[in-house]
Amino acid sequence: MEPLAGWSGTWEAFFNVDEERFVGQLVAFHDSLPWTEELSHSQRDAWVIEHGVMKRTLKHVCEVSGFSPDNTWIAFEQELVGEGGKRAADVNLVLPTGDLFVVEFKHKLAASEHEVWRARFDLKTMLRFHSESIGLEGHCFLALTKPGATGFQHVRVTCDMPDNGVLPALSTALIKTLTTKPEVYDVLKWQQGDFYRQPSILHGTVQVFFEETIPTLKTDAGENIEDARTKLLELYKHAKEKSKRYVVVVHGRPGAGKTLLGISAVADLVHTYGAEYCKPVFLSGNGPLVQVLQHTLDYHGKRSKKGLPLDGRVLIEDLINFKRTLKQHERWNEIEENFVVFDEAQRAWEKLNSRDAKSQSELHLFCDWLAQKEFGVLVLLVGDGQAIYRNEMSLESMLLALEDALYRHGDRITTIMPELHAHHLKKVQVCQREVFNLKTPIRQAYTEELDRWIEAVLEGDAQRANVVAASLRLDYPLMLTKSKSAADSFAREHMQTLHQDNIKADAFRMGWLMSSQGGPFITEVKAKNANLVGPWYVEPPESNLSCCQLETACTEFAGQGLELSLALLNWGNDLVFRCGVLQLAQERKYRRDQDHYTYGSYRVLLSRGRNGLIIKCDDEETFQFLKACGMSILIESTQ
């Protein structure tokens, strides 16, 4: 196993390593990493300070507590593998009591709020995605080492400043833990842990196609996805061997990994059976998502030493192209695919021909096609609550259309879905499989809180939203401003502090979003133009086309199904707070064909940020409502 830390060992081993050897090993480790920039003098000086302070602090702890330094572990520059590429946490202390202390060092007079977030973010990364840290009790410290530094108060991050070379708050906490809690954990196991960080959909696609690996997520949500994927592959094998046809409905809340499940299942089949023998396809009616995924394959394929091992433009296809072939019945035999994933299937059209009142739905077309196959699996990935297009079916309508489409084929097609939806289908027999209900979000631990906050906001319940925000904003920046420049400055500093710029597939992404009916803002990235949407999401921050330039914005149409690390939203004029109620604008130019599309659009826009949300709002009454919903006010810098 490759080392994941610049220097690590027991406290006893650390006491015996001198400053020169210690710094030399960290320098060598730094130089061996492909993602780091040239080592700065300030970083080398920081390691010297960390060596001295930590050695004095830990010796003090052992002297007072009487605890053996052979039974404790310390790691410097522990790699944090995940979004934003790889970066390092300054110090990790692992105790046999089952406690993990993360210590960030800053040789400064004061810590910025971004640096406090960075410390907390590093701890949460370890506790959620490092296999040997999951289940440990976490403690977060930020040490200011410059003489005369000013401390800060934070509910989840402890500020510490050296006193005669010893960190007093840290040493007190360590002594208390070591002397009051039993030994329950073998610290020597910790360094052997792996990172199972959930990938973004873009990073997951790169892993599938270029690294020929399927993302592994060692969390409850990740295991749910793995179990679901395993069952899909088993169904394909059974269908092939027994000449069966299956329709599988997979339900997942936003952020639960439906799209990642679909793409990884398609790729896994090709890896298992070979591209020449198995031709699965991932379909989406979300044109921007397809464009972004295809641009991801193009962009990283040109930079990959392996090239593109699989033809991604065949495996990831726009629904409209596949549907065009299906509509020509005499060409059904041209479709070789026997495993089709239909992403966001609740967005299926009610009618194939909107001008024909008797026209059937897209689901009828898919089931008619599947019924004539020798064998096949049709996977319908569904969610709810984010309808934004005319002619989209509600989830309930989609299930009723599916029932009608299946009923005409009798027992030729077997239907499988979770209990959540089975009761909607009364005319056909349903096999219930709970493995196909993705209940838990994989994005972040606080996604469920974010969902609750969004629902409270859209229901106009500021009091309930404020209660949720009090907890959410401790780990998830939830900022409100009237100034685009203030939002831009905050976002750039946040990226600089929390993440290192890189060209990796999981680089930090920040960008502006806007409502399509909210009125003018900055240049809109057109959803139908792959030359704009793909680069906006995929290309690195320095690219003129990147979202990180903060010069263009995506609407809900180009945002649904995709995410940013930090989302900046220009709140439009189509949803405003008036007379104590959050309501649709009265002006016709801001209204959509159906009122619920506006709420669906904002539900999409508000949930795009994986690690934070900034809202710019010009309307005073709406601004005050959002403030009452618990958002922190972002004031433009006067510097």
Side-chain angles (χ1 to χ4, degrees):
M1 177 184 293
E2 296 182 1
L4 289 176
W7 193 98
S8 61
T10 64
W11 292 8
E12 179 66 32
F14 175 55
F15 294 160
N16 292 324
V17 63
D18 61 37
E19 179 185 295
E20 183 178 355
R21 284 175 53 209
F22 173 80
V23 174
Q25 188 167 335
L26 287 175
V27 170
F29 178 72
H30 174 276
D31 292 343
S32 71
L33 298 173
W35 53 273
T36 52
E37 299 176 352
E38 183 178 354
L39 182 65
S40 65
H41 291 294
S42 61
Q43 179 60 73
R44 182 188 289 266
D45 292 342
W47 287 334
V48 171
I49 293 173
E50 291 172 24
H51 177 267
V53 170
M54 289 309 304
K55 185 170 286 190
R56 293 187 189 94
T57 299
L58 298 183
K59 282 188 174 181
H60 172 73
V61 169
C62 291
E63 290 170 0
V64 174
S65 67
F67 205 87
S68 171
D70 280 331
N71 294 334
T72 48
W73 193 265
I74 184 170
F76 290 84
E77 297 297 308
Q78 178 77 23
E79 284 192 67
L80 299 172
V81 183
E83 185 182 343
K86 294 181 179 180
R87 53 191 181 81
D90 291 337
V91 180
N92 286 269
L93 301 168
V94 189
L95 307 188
T97 57
D99 290 81
L100 170 66
F101 287 73
V102 170
V103 187
E104 293 290 339
F105 279 81
K106 296 296 175 186
H107 191 58
K108 299 177 66 175
L109 291 173
S112 71
E113 61 180 326
H114 301 278
E115 290 165 337
V116 176
W117 263 316
R118 161 72 189 266
R120 179 65 183 168
F121 190 82
D122 288 354
L123 174 61
K124 288 180 69 67
T125 297
M126 297 299 297
L127 295 177
R128 186 160 173 80
F129 305 115
H130 180 251
S131 62
E132 283 296 326
S133 296
I134 296 171
L136 300 184
E137 183 174 343
H139 311 265
C140 190
F141 287 76
L142 196 158
L144 299 173
T145 58
K146 199 164 189 176
T150 301
F152 62 85
Q153 295 292 323
H154 190 275
V155 68
R156 297 190 183 181
V157 180
T158 300
C159 178
D160 212 352
M161 291 171 282
D163 182 5
N164 292 323
V166 174
L167 292 172
L170 177 62
S171 62
T172 298
L174 289 171
I175 292 168
K176 180 179 179 181
T177 302
L178 289 170
T179 57
T180 61
K181 296 178 67 175
E183 296 184 33
V184 295
Y185 180 71
D186 180 3
V187 299
L188 298 180
K189 293 167 49 180
W190 188 82
Q191 190 68 10
Q192 303 304 313
D194 291 322
F195 270 97
Y196 296 106
R197 182 66 184 267
Q198 93 288 358
S200 66
I201 182 60
L202 303 187
H203 185 209
T205 299
V206 172
Q207 283 184 276
V208 165
F209 285 95
F210 298 104
E211 300 173 17
E212 298 188 36
T213 60
I214 306 299
T216 303
L217 312 173
K218 294 298 182 182
T219 62
D220 291 342
E223 290 174 2
N224 192 175
I225 292 175
E226 288 196 17
D227 291 343
R229 186 176 65 231
T230 298
K231 292 301 181 184
L232 289 177
L233 301 184
E234 290 176 358
L235 280 175
Y236 174 83
K237 181 180 179 181
H238 188 264
K240 182 179 176 67
E241 293 176 349
K242 303 296 184 182
S243 298
K244 296 288 186 178
R245 288 150 296 279
Y246 294 104
V247 167
V248 184
V249 177
V250 179
H251 180 271
R253 53 177 295 176
K258 298 188 299 294
T259 301
L260 182 59
L261 166 64
I263 290 176
S264 62
V266 164
D268 209 0
L269 280 172
V270 174
H271 290 316
T272 301
Y273 292 95
E276 66 274 24
Y277 300 110
C278 179
K279 299 181 183 298
V281 64
F282 176 90
L283 301 175
S284 178
N286 184 343
L289 173 63
V290 173
Q291 293 162 10
V292 170
L293 292 176
Q294 291 183 341
H295 189 82
T296 297
L297 298 175
D298 288 344
Y299 182 84
H300 292 284
K302 293 174 183 176
R303 290 156 179 78
S304 171
K305 294 179 181 179
K306 294 183 179 180
L308 184 57
L310 304 174
D311 188 349
R313 288 186 174 270
V314 173
L315 297 179
I316 299 175
E317 188 177 341
D318 198 318
L319 173 66
I320 193 171
N321 298 327
F322 192 84
K323 184 174 66 175
R324 187 178 293 121
T325 303
L326 283 186
K327 289 170 72 173
Q328 301 173 10
H329 289 203
E330 67 276 8
R331 294 181 59 193
W332 277 4
N333 60 351
E334 296 181 15
I335 298 180
E336 298 178 290
E337 288 81 6
N338 291 81
F339 187 92
V340 174
V341 177
F342 183 178
D343 193 27
E344 299 292 350
Q346 79 279 1
R347 296 175 61 174
W349 294 141
E350 296 175 342
K351 300 179 185 299
L352 287 170
N353 184 349
S354 59
R355 299 178 181 177
D356 182 358
K358 297 182 180 180
S359 177
Q360 298 184 95
S361 73
E362 289 179 348
L363 293 172
H364 285 82
L365 182 65
F366 271 90
C367 290
D368 289 348
W369 163 76
L370 179 62
Q372 61 81 40
K373 299 288 290 184
E374 179 184 350
F375 74 94
V377 179
L378 172 62
V379 182
L380 304 176
L381 306 178
V382 302
D384 51 21
Q386 296 188 349
I388 59 177
Y389 284 97
R390 182 195 305 177
N391 294 330
E392 281 186 6
M393 288 190 277
S394 67
L395 182 54
E396 184 174 354
S397 298
M398 171 259 173
L399 291 168
L400 293 176
L402 176 62
E403 178 186 48
D404 187 67
L406 291 167
Y407 183 69
R408 72 165 73 180
H409 297 294
D411 60 359
R412 187 164 176 80
I413 300 176
T414 301
T415 308
I416 301 174
M417 64 178 61
E419 181 183 8
L420 178 68
H421 301 310
H423 69 279
H424 288 285
L425 278 66
K426 298 180 174 61
K427 295 191 295 183
V428 298
Q429 186 173 357
V430 175
C431 299
Q432 296 184 22
R433 297 289 185 273
E434 287 311 296
V435 70
F436 296 123
N437 186 7
L438 307 182
K439 301 177 182 179
T440 309
I442 67 170
R443 291 185 298 183
Q444 296 291 351
Y446 44 72
T447 304
E448 189 168 342
E449 281 188 314
L450 178 60
D451 289 345
R452 290 201 303 270
W453 182 80
I454 291 171
E455 291 309 311
V457 169
L458 294 181
E459 291 171 12
D461 191 339
Q463 184 176 1
R464 179 158 55 94
N466 188 286
V467 172
V468 178
S471 172
L472 174 63
R473 64 177 179 243
L474 293 174
D475 295 311
Y476 185 92
L478 204 58
M479 313 301 293
L480 177 65
T481 184
K482 296 180 180 179
S483 166
K484 179 180 183 298
S485 62
D488 289 351
S489 296
F490 180 94
R492 291 191 175 103
E493 185 176 350
H494 201 66
M495 179 176 72
Q496 184 64 32
T497 305
L498 268 71
H499 301 269
Q500 294 176 330
D501 293 348
N502 59 77
I503 60 173
K504 296 174 72 67
D506 54 351
F508 187 88
R509 297 284 183 265
M510 60 183 182
W512 278 102
L513 304 172
M514 58 188 283
S515 168
S516 61
Q517 292 294 116
F521 177 46
I522 53 179
T523 305
E524 179 185 337
V525 179
K526 298 296 183 181
K528 295 182 179 180
N529 191 336
N531 294 326
L532 294 177
V533 178
W536 196 85
Y537 278 103
V538 175
E539 297 194 8
E542 62 270 17
S543 169
N544 290 332
L545 298 175
S546 170
C547 56
C548 296
Q549 293 293 317
L550 303 178
E551 295 176 354
T552 51
C554 271
T555 68
E556 65 272 20
F557 297 113
Q560 192 171 41
L562 292 157
E563 295 175 319
L564 295 163
S565 306
L566 178 65
L568 296 86
L569 170 61
N570 182 64
W571 193 284
N573 298 315
D574 48 346
L575 190 61
V576 294
F577 193 77
R578 296 288 185 270
C579 303
V581 178
L582 187 68
Q583 58 185 257
L584 303 178
Q586 297 301 311
E587 298 93 328
R588 183 65 252 172
K589 63 180 179 179
Y590 298 129
R591 300 293 285 265
R592 290 169 171 81
D593 292 333
Q594 296 189 40
D595 290 347
H596 73 275
Y597 289 161
T598 297
Y599 292 98
S601 295
Y602 274 85
R603 190 172 284 109
V604 169
L605 294 168
L606 289 166
S607 60
R608 294 308 91 193
R610 286 163 64 92
N611 298 313
L613 171 67
I614 304 174
I615 295 179
K616 169 188 163 295
C617 181
D618 299 321
D619 181 81
E620 180 61 27
E621 288 186 63
T622 309
F623 181 94
Q624 293 301 325
F625 165 70
L626 292 171
K627 178 181 177 181
C629 288
M631 302 194 75
S632 301
I633 303 300
L634 182 61
I635 302 174
E636 189 160 16
S637 174
T638 57
Q639 298 181 352

